[in-house]
Amino acid sequence: PEATTPATNEQQPQDAGKLSAGLKDMMLPLVEKCDGGVEEVLFSQDVLNKQIGDLTQELNAFLAETPQPPLHPHLDKLTGVRRRVTNMNSQLKTIQGDRKST
């Protein structure tokens, strides 16, 4: 049986570099998949935000023409939902920006 020699001080950083590269290569597809999912969520949030904005404008125009008190609570709910979607979208964009800067 051959005797193994302990790793030299020069070899240890190389081994650590290889380990780091291997872990990065292994994790990269998962990170890219997560990033893609976040981008899809951001896109759908933008679409939803635009649709809610369009609907709010239509309801406001309708209310201006024919005031009907029962629609005001629904308009208030839509406005609240739009505000929450906008806040969530802003948070997601901040998270994605933080992720890309690291």
Side-chain angles (χ1 to χ4, degrees), residues 48-101:
L48 178 60
N49 192 29
K50 182 185 179 323
Q51 290 174 342
I52 290 173
D54 292 345
L55 180 58
T56 302
Q57 286 179 347
E58 288 180 34
L59 284 175
N60 280 329
F62 178 76
L63 287 174
E65 294 172 9
T66 56
Q68 297 181 2
L71 291 179
H72 285 288
H74 298 291
L75 182 59
D76 292 340
K77 285 181 185 179
L78 279 174
T79 301
V81 168
R82 181 175 188 203
R83 182 177 27 81
R84 289 191 302 269
V85 167
T86 300
N87 288 340
M88 178 61 73
N89 207 10
S90 175
Q91 289 176 354
L92 286 170
K93 286 180 181 178
T94 300
I95 290 168
Q96 185 181 31
D98 290 346
R99 165 70 183 100
K100 287 185 177 182
S101 67

Side-chain angles (χ1 to χ4, degrees), residues 12-55:
Q12 288 175 349
Q14 289 176 342
D15 291 345
K18 289 178 184 178
L19 178 63
S20 295
L23 287 173
K24 179 184 171 193
D25 290 344
M26 190 172 73
M27 297 297 294
L28 188 61
L30 179 61
V31 171
E32 288 174 346
K33 184 178 180 180
C34 288
D35 284 347
V38 169
E39 288 179 15
E40 288 176 13
V41 168
L42 284 170
F43 177 76
S44 67
Q45 290 290 316
D46 284 337
V47 170
L48 178 60
N49 192 29
K50 182 185 179 323
Q51 290 174 342
I52 290 173
D54 292 345
L55 180 58

